[in-house]
Amino acid sequence: DADVTQTPRNRITKTGKRIMLECSQTKGHDRMYWYRQDPGLGLQLIYYSFDVKDINKGEISDGYSVSRQAQAKFSLSLESAIPNQTALYFCATSDLVDQPQHFGDGTRLSIL
Amino acid sequence: GNSVTQMEGPVTLSEEAFLTINCTYTATGYPSLFWYVQYPGEGLQLLLKATKADDKGSNKGFEATYRKETTSFHLEKGSVQVSDSAVYFCALSPSFSGGYNKLIFGAGTRLAVHP
């Protein structure tokens, strides 16, 4: 079983819809992250969290919100999806500072 | 600010060729440096890392040396295989991340190895 699980793996939806992407982890890590990947741009950080009471904006948080329901669960929401949010989204976790991040397999989101 | 620049791809090589993917960075202080690899349809996996100047990270035949004087962390492999075909990302974690290891990624370099 994957240590970091993202659902759904693929989603096609329409402009204006509310979308939730979910991430769960079995690694017991405190830190969780949401990234967006666009071709030619690498990964950009959307939000990150240390625990259920700690939520921080990343580089590109506009148009997104998150919820840390438990240590193991971190959800990303698009309240009103727009086409330029079409991208590949990754969840990641990490333990102590200077330790590597562990990534899920990604959610491919297409907004028509 | 912090940034990572890596060579544009795609890089196309024959099996057993020598690989270099260039990576340079801009950062204050002493960042940690990473190479991640992304195979088709998968998430990123850590390939190697270095946390201080002159450290050499190595894994699966890949190597990279943290060069502070040239602000570089170039990825090398002496003999590539078809199975090395993937996208490679250079990344840094700033010195002062407030208890997080926030990563700043380069744009990625696609490697295609042909038999």
Side-chain angles (χ1 to χ4, degrees), chain A residues 53-93:
Chain A
K53 298 180 181 179
D54 178 76
I55 302 292
N56 302 278
K57 293 182 178 181
E59 306 166 81
I60 55 164
S61 59
D62 287 349
Y64 301 94
S65 62
V66 291
S67 174
R68 185 82 183 266
Q69 302 96 322
Q71 187 204 35
K73 296 184 182 295
F74 193 36
S75 300
L76 175 72
S77 293
L78 289 67
E79 296 300 325
S80 180
I82 56 177
N84 73 2
Q85 291 177 313
T86 293
L88 189 54
Y89 290 85
F90 286 102
C91 175
T93 74

Side-chain angles (χ1 to χ4, degrees), chain A residues 8-22:
Chain A
R9 291 296 312 278
N10 293 282
R11 179 78 183 269
I12 301 173
T13 191
K14 295 182 179 179
T15 297
K17 294 291 188 180
R18 183 178 187 273
I19 307 299
M20 179 180 285
L21 309 183
E22 299 189 353

